[in-house]
Amino acid sequence: MTAESARQPAPGPPVGIQLTAPVPGWAIDADVVVVGSGVAGLTAALRCTAAGLRTVVVTKARLDDGSTRWAQGGIAAALGEGDTPEQHLSDTLVAGAGLCDEEAVRTLVTEGPDAVRRLIGTGARFDTSATGDLQLTREGGHHRRRIAHAGGDATGAEISRALVDAVRDASLRTVENALVLDLLTDEHGNTSGVTLHVMGEGQHDGVGAVRAPAVVLATGGMGQVFSATTNPAVSTGDGVALALRAGAEVSDLEFVQFHPTVLFLGAGSEGQQPLVSEAVRGEGAHLVDADGIRFMLDQHELAELAPRDIVAKAIMRRMRERGAEHMYLDARHFGARMWATRFPTILAACRSHGIDPVTEPIPVAPAAHYASGGVRTDLRGRTTVPGLYACGEVACTGVHGANRLASNSLLEGLVFAERIAADIAAVAAAPRNGPSAVRPPATAHRAADSAALLPLIAPDARLTIQRIMSEGAGVLRSATSLGTAAEALEAVYQDALRPTDRGKPAQPGVESWETSNLLCVARVLVAAALEREETRGCHWRDDFPERDDTDWRRHLVVTLGAGRALELSRTDTPAFPAVRPADPAVPMEPSP
């Protein structure tokens, strides 16, 4: 803590609905605080720092412990000979099943190639050919080889390494092992920072605050809301829950992508599961049943390389037809050398569980992987709370629609993080008495005028929530399963409101805060999934098996009312409505 910040009085409590937590006892002052240390968070932080802004990165574990380093396949961009942003746009729109915001996708695919080149300039080393050209592969839904990868199947780890090194070289201030709690706002409803709890390691102990007029949420996903997921343990939906409590709009949370090929470890397996990258299928692996029959050939023109929702559904259908718990991914024809050089991480993971993909098919089944929805933003990453931005998996930019195209996630984090940094820098440089993009219009969503504490959820409810979600809101859904899940989640919530003699009320702490966040995002997901009475993308309703463009080619928008009740509304078109009026004084293009 600097002498200057030590002299500052402790900040007041957040305005609006908030977690039960101690009053902040220390504070850091900054121009911008970035919450999260994946590709989106660190890119935003580096760009803000380069613009001369005092930037603080807050991350829940260590700098390199987020979801980015687990990404195996790669990053998609039109970098290959003959490929174009228009072709990338087309593949993305098809995968998104009619719900992509085309302007957002066009932004992604147009700015993506240069953003990847800047990432390489930062120090990321991608796999190249003998002539020095990028090695590109295919994944599901892509009609061209446009996936750049690193270390064979360790792309995320390499990107994370390069960005973490750049952050350290820039001497950027970081607070590690810190769980963000709630948003701070001023008397006008503008963002003024965040509260956070440092978990025993690092510069500060206990609850404190980072005070800043701009907050960037880059907290990753919420896969831990399900029993089996590819997400790390830190992915508990903290950013989405914080944004909801602050009054922000959340959209498309019902569209949870279940990765088709996750290493099957047994019917009762829980927690983070090993991913078998889509790139394995991109290199020619086949999906087969126990009899060795390829069942994707009559499902889609791209067979195993169909969009993920189609492959996941096909696997689930075959499992139901055969009464099986899993299917198989057969890549024995790769041979030992290709496995060792192209997919060393996956090879090691399989062998650690007693499976040798060189000599036997890999048992696979779908597991929760990626949240296509999140905190709704505009093309500059601005949310409906003035001064609050979001990028990466926590955000809903409109790019992914009802189903994310493989390897678009790292690119989205990269492109929109740069746009956020450009917007924050432009706002900071604008005259104080001039127009400001952080001023709320009359229709902006605001946090509640009076603070309301959420009941804390006991840590032992975490497994209960995960099992409720896996059973009722997994790959296959229906009104019955979702209704049962909604009732069970409500019972968990009511138990927290009215503690009984069975146990003491939950006490403030990391485990209870995480569990409270999980319950919050679970309730939103189930409410939206119940509302959407159709099958589209990765939302599969057994009782409404058809896609309904007449009534449901729309986005569901959810807010948390002052009385802690969920409020759902529907957009008029597939395009996102504007978050707030555009400010022509703020440039849209990120600086080179």
Side-chain angles (χ1 to χ4, degrees):
M1 183 181 297
T2 66
E4 179 183 359
S5 62
R7 288 196 298 269
Q8 299 290 340
V15 175
I17 300 171
Q18 61 188 265
L19 290 170
T20 301
V23 174
W26 51 268
I28 299 170
D29 289 323
D31 297 317
V32 55
V33 55
V34 177
V35 186
S37 59
V39 62
L42 295 188
T43 297
L46 287 167
R47 302 289 282 184
C48 285
T49 299
L53 299 171
R54 295 176 302 162
T55 305
V56 174
V57 174
V58 173
T59 188
K60 194 172 178 181
R62 307 297 293 180
L63 278 180
D64 62 351
D65 278 346
S67 293
T68 291
R69 76 180 182 96
W70 295 99
Q72 295 174 343
I75 185 167
L79 295 163
E81 184 177 353
D83 198 4
T84 65
E86 284 297 323
Q87 293 176 69
H88 191 181
L89 172 79
S90 177
D91 286 344
T92 301
L93 294 178
V94 170
L99 273 190
C100 297
D101 182 292
E102 187 166 343
E103 188 179 0
V105 179
R106 192 172 296 281
T107 298
L108 177 83
V109 301
T110 302
E111 298 181 9
D114 282 343
V116 173
R117 294 183 185 104
R118 284 189 288 272
L119 179 62
I120 293 172
T122 302
R125 297 187 292 264
F126 288 90
D127 296 337
T128 57
S129 65
T131 60
D133 296 325
L134 283 175
Q135 288 184 352
L136 302 174
T137 189
R138 282 182 67 192
E139 292 185 0
H142 293 272
H143 282 79
R144 283 190 174 271
R145 286 182 171 265
R146 66 169 63 100
I147 316 301
H149 50 83
D153 59 357
T155 308
E158 172 56 20
I159 290 173
S160 180
R161 179 208 61 78
L163 291 173
V164 168
D165 285 352
V167 163
R168 289 173 175 156
D169 289 345
S171 299
L172 204 155
R173 187 166 191 175
T174 62
V175 182
E176 297 180 290
N177 302 297
L179 173 65
V180 68
L181 300 177
D182 282 300
L183 191 72
L184 291 164
T185 56
D186 64 18
E187 65 274 17
H188 303 295
N190 296 316
T191 292
S192 61
V194 293
T195 56
L196 65 155
H197 173 77
V198 179
M199 296 177 277
E201 297 179 33
Q203 189 174 0
H204 307 283
D205 290 324
V207 174
V210 181
R211 297 183 294 206
V215 172
V216 181
L217 293 179
T219 52
M222 55 183 197
Q224 288 291 325
V225 78
F226 294 95
S227 296
T229 177
T230 62
N231 289 191
V234 295
S235 298
T236 51
D238 307 319
V240 171
L242 175 150
L244 278 165
R245 290 193 297 271
E249 293 178 356
V250 167
S251 188
D252 295 356
L253 225 60
E254 67 269 34
F255 295 115
V256 176
Q257 188 175 81
F258 286 77
H259 198 288
T261 53
V262 176
L263 184 62
F264 181 74
L265 301 180
S269 297
E270 295 181 326
Q272 186 178 7
Q273 313 285 300
L275 177 66
V276 182
S277 170
E278 194 141 338
V280 177
R281 281 176 280 138
E283 297 291 353
H286 303 145
L287 280 166
V288 298
D289 59 22
D291 296 324
I293 298 172
R294 287 181 66 185
F295 54 87
M296 285 303 303
L297 292 175
D298 60 353
Q299 297 290 318
H300 192 274
E301 62 170 352
L302 295 176
E304 280 87 1
L305 287 179
R308 287 179 177 174
D309 62 314
I310 294 172
V311 179
K313 289 172 186 175
I315 290 174
M316 293 299 296
R317 289 192 189 102
R318 197 69 163 191
M319 286 166 53
R320 290 202 295 186
E321 290 169 3
R322 296 300 180 93
E325 293 180 323
H326 61 81
M327 290 287 110
Y328 293 93
L329 187 64
D330 192 351
R332 289 174 290 179
H333 55 286
F334 284 6
R337 182 176 179 182
M338 180 174 175
W339 267 111
T341 57
R342 180 67 179 87
F343 301 111
T345 306
I346 298 170
L347 178 64
C350 289
R351 285 178 170 170
S352 71
H353 291 282
I355 298 153
D356 188 350
V358 176
T359 60
E360 59 186 317
I362 306 168
V364 293
H369 181 57
Y370 188 87
S372 293
V375 185
R376 190 171 78 81
T377 74
D378 64 9
L379 295 183
R380 304 179 196 182
R382 300 179 299 185
T383 75
T384 49
V385 174
L388 178 65
Y389 297 78
C391 56
E393 191 173 354
V394 69
C396 186
T397 62
V399 161
H400 304 307
N403 179 57
R404 175 176 67 92
L405 181 65
S407 288
N408 267 358
S409 53
L410 292 176
L411 189 71
E412 184 198 31
L414 198 60
V415 167
F416 285 90
E418 289 189 340
R419 290 185 140 248
I420 285 171
D423 194 75
I424 293 172
V427 171
R432 290 185 179 273
N433 60 352
S436 172
V438 300
R439 295 299 180 193
T443 57
H445 238 296
R446 293 284 300 277
D449 291 333
S450 59
L453 294 179
L454 279 177
L456 283 179
I457 309 301
D460 58 8
R462 179 167 177 158
L463 283 176
T464 300
I465 295 167
Q466 291 170 331
R467 289 167 182 168
I468 290 169
M469 293 298 291
S470 290
E471 292 171 7
V475 180
L476 301 177
R477 301 168 178 176
S478 68
T480 300
S481 74
L482 291 166
T484 299
E487 291 176 3
L489 293 174
E490 180 64 21
V492 173
Y493 181 71
Q494 292 299 326
D495 282 348
L497 283 175
R498 297 186 293 273
T500 66
D501 294 337
R502 290 176 295 174
K504 297 180 180 178
Q507 298 301 306
V510 172
E511 291 182 341
S512 57
W513 289 324
E514 282 188 333
T515 307
S516 299
N517 287 336
L518 283 172
L519 180 62
C520 177
V521 296
R523 295 176 76 200
V524 175
L525 193 162
V526 169
L530 258 173
E531 184 79 5
R532 183 173 289 278
E533 295 181 335
E534 66 160 352
T535 290
R536 182 187 298 272
C538 49
H539 173 64
W540 185 3
R541 287 283 297 262
D542 262 352
D543 47 347
F544 293 95
E546 302 301 324
R547 172 171 156 173
D548 179 1
D549 281 349
T550 301
D551 292 331
W552 285 109
R553 196 166 175 233
R554 309 279 191 276
H555 299 277
L556 283 172
V557 177
V558 183
T559 56
L560 190 61
R564 301 182 298 208
L566 298 179
E567 299 173 0
L568 278 72
S569 60
R570 198 185 308 186
T571 63
D572 295 327
T573 72
F576 273 0
V579 168
R580 61 179 66 89
D583 179 357
V586 180
M588 287 298 295
E589 299 297 328
S591 57

